[in-house]
C-alpha cells in the first residue's frame, strides 16, 4: 500500500490545527501509520529541504521549521501521495483552493501549515529520513471493506 510523509509545521501546531488536519485525513479514508511530535534539528531540516538549498527562502525556511514543534506523520492508502497533496492545496495559501488545508487556513507562503511529499519516490525517501522502521505500525483498519471495492 502506498505511503506518504506529511508534517504539520510549527504554525499549524501553534494555531491549534493539529486535530483539524488529522481529522481531514482520517475522514478522507487514509490510514495513520506513524505520528510523532518533535523539535526538528537543523540537520534534519536541511536534509529534508535539500532540493531548496540554493533558493533565497532556504535559510528562513530552515529557521521556521526548527522554531517549534512539528507533527511528523506517515499516512497510507491507495494514491495517498497525490491525494494528500490535493487535500493540502497549492504552496501559496492565497491561491490554494477553498476546501484545501492551505486554502482554508493560510494567507502566506512562508506559513503554509503543512508539508506533503510530492511524489511516490520522494515519499519513500522522506518516510525513511523522518521515521525508523519500528516507529511505523502496519495495521488493517476494520473499515477497509467500506473504503475499498
Ligand atoms: P510545497 O511545500 O508545496 O511542496 P515547495 O515549492 O516544495 O512547496 O517549497 C517548500 C516550502 O518552502 C513551502 O511549503 C514553503 O513553506 C516554502 N516556500 C516555498 N516558496 C517560498 C517562497 O517564495 N517564500 C517563502 N517560502 C517559500
Ligand atoms: Mg515540496
Amino acid at each position: 500500500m502506498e505511503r506518504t510523509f506529511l508534517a504539520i509545521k510549527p504554525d499549524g501546531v501553534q494555531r491549534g490545527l493539529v486535530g483539524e488536519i488529522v481529522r481531514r485525513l482520517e475522514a478522507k479514508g487514509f490510514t495513520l501509520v506513524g505520528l510523532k511530535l518533535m523539535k526538528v534539528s537543523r540537520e534534519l531540516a536541511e536534509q529534508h529541504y535539500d532540493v531548496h538549498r540554493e533558493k533565497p527562502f532556504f535559510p528562513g525556511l530552515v529557521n521556521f521549521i526548527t522554531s517549534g514543534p512539528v507533527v511528523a506523520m506517515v499516512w497510507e492508502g491507495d494514491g495517498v501521495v497525490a491525494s494528500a497533496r490535493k487535500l493540502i492545496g497549492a504552496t501559496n495559501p492565497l491561491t490554494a483552493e477553498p476546501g484545501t488545508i492551505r486554502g482554508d487556513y493560510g494567507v502566506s507562503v512562508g506559513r503554509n501549515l503543512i508539508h506533503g511529499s510530492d511524489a511516490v519516490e520522494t515519499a519513500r525517501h522522506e518516510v525513511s529520513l523522518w521515521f525508523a522502521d519500528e516507529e511505523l505500525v502496519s495495521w488493517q483498519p476494520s473499515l477497509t471493506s467500506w473504503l475499498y471495492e
Side-chain angles (χ1 to χ4, degrees):
M1 190 69 97
E2 192 171 298
R3 288 179 171 180
T4 195
F5 171 72
L6 305 182
I8 304 172
K9 299 179 184 183
D11 52 336
V13 177
Q14 290 284 355
R15 291 180 54 198
L17 291 170
V18 172
E20 171 61 17
I21 290 169
V22 170
R23 187 199 67 76
R24 287 182 178 213
L25 291 152
E26 283 182 326
K28 173 71 174 167
F30 293 129
T31 304
L32 184 62
V33 296
L35 177 136
K36 57 184 172 181
L37 179 75
M38 54 193 290
K39 179 83 163 61
V40 179
S41 69
R42 188 155 289 269
E43 187 190 1
L44 175 58
E46 288 182 356
Q47 276 181 280
H48 174 74
Y49 282 124
D50 191 55
V51 294
H52 298 302
R53 205 173 275 274
E54 305 307 324
K55 307 268 174 63
F57 58 80
F58 181 76
L61 180 58
V62 169
N63 283 340
F64 172 58
I65 218 75
T66 56
S67 69
V70 163
V71 175
M73 302 177 285
V74 179
W75 288 84
E76 189 174 82
D78 272 1
V80 67
V81 174
S83 179
R85 291 278 293 190
K86 285 201 157 221
L87 294 176
I88 289 169
T91 305
N92 184 344
L94 282 183
T95 54
E97 294 291 330
T100 64
I101 294 165
R102 288 169 174 169
D104 285 350
Y105 298 114
V107 289
S108 152
V109 69
R111 298 288 184 271
N112 63 3
L113 299 157
I114 177 167
H115 166 84
S117 306
D118 62 8
V120 172
E121 259 319 299
T122 320
R124 257 195 278 275
H125 170 70
E126 291 178 350
V127 167
S128 64
L129 181 64
W130 287 76
F131 283 88
D133 283 348
E134 61 269 22
E135 292 178 307
L136 300 176
V137 179
S138 292
W139 60 290
Q140 180 76 46
S142 54
L143 276 175
T144 302
S145 64
W146 303 105
L147 288 165
Y148 292 96
E149 195 177 24

